[in-house]
Amino acid sequence: NKAVALLEIAKTNLLLRNIDKVKIDLIKSSKLAEKSNTYLEIAKILYKIDDIKQSKLFLNKAKLVAKSKDREFWIVRSLINIAVFENLIGLNEASNTTLIDAKKYVLLKKLDERIFIELIAAFAETDNLDQAKELLNLMKPGYEKAMAMSLIGKELVAKKNISEMEYFLNEAIKTVPDLVGGKYALGLPGFSTKSRVFMEAAKAYALVGKFDKSHELLGLIESDRFYKEGISEIIIIQSHKDKVGAKKLALKMLDQGGKIIDNKFTGKIVYALAISQDIENSLNIIKTMELGFDYSQALINTANQISFQQEDL
């Protein structure tokens, strides 16, 4: 797609601070653009170069193009992406209106509850908890509803509303069934619905510094996939807030992690140790890794955490 290619060129020129070329690239891209997400990306770049008026214009174009499609699922997803960006740049009223439009499609067409999850998370992220709760009440008990509640809880972390966060996470944990989800009937790998929700709840507790509760939930996850994903992120989160605890957990995982330990996971442990300022262990563990992308990333992450001090003469 030529419009998308021109956007990539515009992003490169933006990094080079060549604003005149960025504007030319955007004009060319806009003439070829056909999709809502392309107009949205143009709006994002225009906002970065402080052309707010044109950015709003292309946001409206993105909405019009999104609504012109005949697949309601993708209309809703496009409107959600637009609304989240509108909220990010302070267009709160416009963001709420866009999400309400998305909600109308969801309810009118009785769309799959998977899109409910995305819409509820967007309402929570944009600080419209009443709308999120209203949609939540329309959902049947099950994995999708539990997932939606866990995402609301995670969004409430940023709002520092801990009591409300814990309520939604506890409800999510109580609601989620212990089933295999996904399109496994079509030959695709399934996943543990319970493990997925427990992982999201564990990450939310880690984000507010409740690491004992976070580790407790991790211990209840039976799926290697979600345990590995959860512990990888939680070690990093903990290393920023509790260096001693993170170091202890990282070394314990390296020693007792068993089959979940691979090059990528080792790189996460290295990063957590580097953030915890245990550079010696970080560098020693890097030596055990296989060469490749994860090895290079581990070196970069460690280097970024090294603080150079002037020599005491």
Side-chain angles (χ1 to χ4, degrees), residues 36-37 40 59-69 71-87 94-106 111 115 118-119 122-123 126:
S36 175
N37 64 330
L40 175 57
L59 282 172
N60 287 330
K61 284 187 177 183
K63 294 178 199 179
L64 289 172
V65 172
K67 293 178 184 179
S68 70
K69 303 302 179 185
R71 295 180 64 186
E72 287 82 6
F73 183 93
W74 293 107
I75 293 173
V76 173
R77 179 166 284 173
S78 295
L79 292 176
I80 288 172
N81 291 335
I82 294 165
V84 168
F85 178 67
E86 286 176 324
N87 180 74
S95 173
N96 189 57
T97 300
T98 305
L99 286 178
I100 294 297
D101 279 349
K103 176 186 171 186
K104 290 175 184 176
Y105 282 99
V106 169
L111 296 182
I115 202 68
E118 294 184 36
L119 187 54
F123 272 124
T126 57

Side-chain angles (χ1 to χ4, degrees), residues 8-23:
E8 293 302 315
I9 295 170
K11 290 175 184 178
T12 302
N13 281 321
L14 181 61
L15 290 172
L16 297 171
R17 302 307 300 165
N18 197 333
I19 305 304
D20 289 337
K21 285 189 176 181
V22 171
K23 291 178 180 178

